[in-house]
Amino acid sequence: MISNPLVATTLIFALIALGEYISIITRARVPMLLTAMVGYLICVWTGIFPNDLLATSQFAALGAILVGPAILHMGTMIPFSLLKSQYKAVLISLGGLVVSGALVLIIVSLIFDYPTAVAGVGPLSGGIVALIVTSEKLAEIGLTSLVVIPALVVAFQGVLGMPLAQYFLRRYAFTIQEKIDNGTFVPINQDEASATQETVKPDGPIKSSATLKLFFIFVGASIGIVLGELTPIHYSLWCLAIGVGGLKLGIFQHKSLEKANSFNLTMIGIIFVVIGTMADVGPQDVLNNLPSIIVLLLLGTFGLSLGGYVVSKLLKWHPYKGMPVALTALFGFPADYILCEEVSRSIARNKEEEQTIFDEILTPMLIGGFTTVTVASVVIAGILVETL
């Protein structure tokens, strides 16, 4: 019965759905990916699932095809106008990545080795796609024993990053309250807030076709893959650049895969690929790499916080506002939105104050998450894997 591809796919999908359910009821404190990956490993190790369940499913093969389109989609997620209006949030998030990456590359390389450091840096910058890029390269050059590192880093980084970001946001919310009470609080610039709203333009009959939208995305991703083979630049960077440039030129729409009604299926396929990176991992592999994973998580989190603090000071932002922006690399959307919602609701003394706090912290947090998880992590992973 399990040998049927649909049944095999449904069993793995059940773990993803369980992870999504747990993530919802815990308000993203337990990441969906953590439940799905750990659940899969336990089921395989205990014999509940056969070792070849993923191969039987065949859905991971579809997910592998969709990695390029997903990266191109990421390039269409952030309009230039939004980055310009929130440049301080962008610089703070990038500053956190630079400090975190430098600490990891230097210290982890000294304690363990350089490939271990590279295996962790991309995923620490945020995002499943960075995990895929890193894992593919590790498998390609024969370092399959290290594949567990990026997978578990991505699975556990939110567990560490979210409580810390929430602590800083709460402290900043109290600062906002003090300024409101003494009459010195200046609300977020309305022009900046309005920049986060997408301008909706009517489409013609060709551009309104979801099938044609998806076709153009596949064409762009295919060009990126081909350029990756013809040049020393990783295909992920080409796909990302094509997405960014295509959005600017009007070839692709904002959040292109969502407009093609294909985003959810694409992400499910990619999660199958992520789970597939763990297919040959045994309990001993996890134990052997546990020390390096712990060091990577602690150093990465410290580096993001330190970088966020330093750049916040340079840009004259309150550190409690800037440090959580840098830490969005560890969880991204929707966890950043949920944190802002929870903090504003728990700290505010009335509805008006709740909205004021929410508006003040939400925009930079979203921009920080988009900058790190959507763009920077793919760039960092794409560059560093080529140094292995």
Side-chain angles (χ1 to χ4, degrees), residues 258-316:
E258 293 181 23
K259 297 295 174 59
N261 301 324
S262 305
F263 179 71
N264 285 340
L265 183 65
T266 298
M267 291 312 297
I268 294 298
I270 289 176
I271 291 170
F272 267 70
V273 176
V274 172
I275 293 175
T277 64
M278 305 285 284
D280 298 322
V281 172
Q284 194 59 46
D285 295 319
V286 174
L287 291 175
N288 290 343
N289 288 286
L290 197 58
S292 59
I293 292 168
I294 292 173
V295 172
L296 282 164
L297 288 171
L298 293 177
L299 270 179
T301 304
F302 173 74
L304 288 168
S305 302
L306 178 61
Y309 177 85
V310 171
V311 181
S312 295
K313 284 290 191 181
L314 292 174
L315 296 176
K316 303 188 185 308

Side-chain angles (χ1 to χ4, degrees), residues 158-360:
V159 178
L160 196 60
M162 286 183 65
L164 190 58
Q166 185 179 46
Y167 169 78
F168 291 137
L169 284 174
R170 287 178 62 87
R171 296 291 296 271
Y172 184 60
F174 285 125
T175 302
I176 295 174
Q177 279 185 333
E178 292 176 7
K179 290 183 178 181
I180 291 174
D181 291 341
N182 61 32
T184 60
F185 177 70
V186 179
I188 186 172
N189 186 299
Q190 292 304 309
D191 291 336
E192 292 184 6
S194 64
T196 63
Q197 303 299 318
E198 179 185 349
T199 301
V200 179
K201 297 180 180 178
D203 292 330
I206 295 179
K207 282 195 171 183
S208 63
S209 168
T211 301
L212 289 177
K213 289 175 185 176
L214 190 59
F215 171 70
F216 294 141
I217 293 168
F218 268 67
V219 170
S222 297
I223 293 171
I225 297 291
V226 172
L227 288 173
E229 294 178 353
L230 297 178
T231 67
I233 300 173
H234 197 272
Y235 78 86
S236 60
L237 301 182
W238 282 117
C239 289
L240 189 66
I242 290 170
V244 172
L247 176 66
K248 183 68 175 176
L249 295 172
I251 299 171
F252 305 119
Q253 291 182 310
H254 180 48
K255 298 182 179 179
S256 57
L257 277 176
E258 293 181 23
K259 297 295 174 59
N261 301 324
S262 305
F263 179 71
N264 285 340
L265 183 65
T266 298
M267 291 312 297
I268 294 298
I270 289 176
I271 291 170
F272 267 70
V273 176
V274 172
I275 293 175
T277 64
M278 305 285 284
D280 298 322
V281 172
Q284 194 59 46
D285 295 319
V286 174
L287 291 175
N288 290 343
N289 288 286
L290 197 58
S292 59
I293 292 168
I294 292 173
V295 172
L296 282 164
L297 288 171
L298 293 177
L299 270 179
T301 304
F302 173 74
L304 288 168
S305 302
L306 178 61
Y309 177 85
V310 171
V311 181
S312 295
K313 284 290 191 181
L314 292 174
L315 296 176
K316 303 188 185 308
W317 263 27
H318 197 293
Y320 289 150
K321 181 181 180 181
M323 292 164 75
V325 170
L327 286 168
T328 54
L330 298 177
F331 44 87
F333 186 85
D336 47 12
Y337 184 92
I338 292 171
L339 283 181
C340 294
E341 195 176 46
E342 287 185 344
V343 167
S344 58
R345 185 177 60 247
S346 63
I347 300 298
R349 296 163 292 194
N350 53 61
K351 283 292 181 183
E352 183 181 353
E353 189 174 275
E354 178 182 339
Q355 190 62 47
T356 299
I357 294 172
F358 183 74
D359 289 343
E360 175 68 18

Side-chain angles (χ1 to χ4, degrees), residues 99-121 124 146 149 153 289-301:
V99 175
S100 173
L103 285 176
V104 168
L105 287 175
I106 294 170
I107 297 176
V108 173
S109 295
L110 292 174
I111 299 175
F112 301 100
D113 53 42
Y114 182 71
T116 299
V118 172
V121 169
L124 274 172
L146 297 181
I149 293 177
V153 164
N289 288 286
L290 197 58
S292 59
I293 292 168
I294 292 173
V295 172
L296 282 164
L297 288 171
L298 293 177
L299 270 179
T301 304

Side-chain angles (χ1 to χ4, degrees), residues 1-8 53 56:
M1 181 177 67
I2 296 181
S3 61
N4 182 282
L6 178 59
V7 174
L53 186 68
T56 302

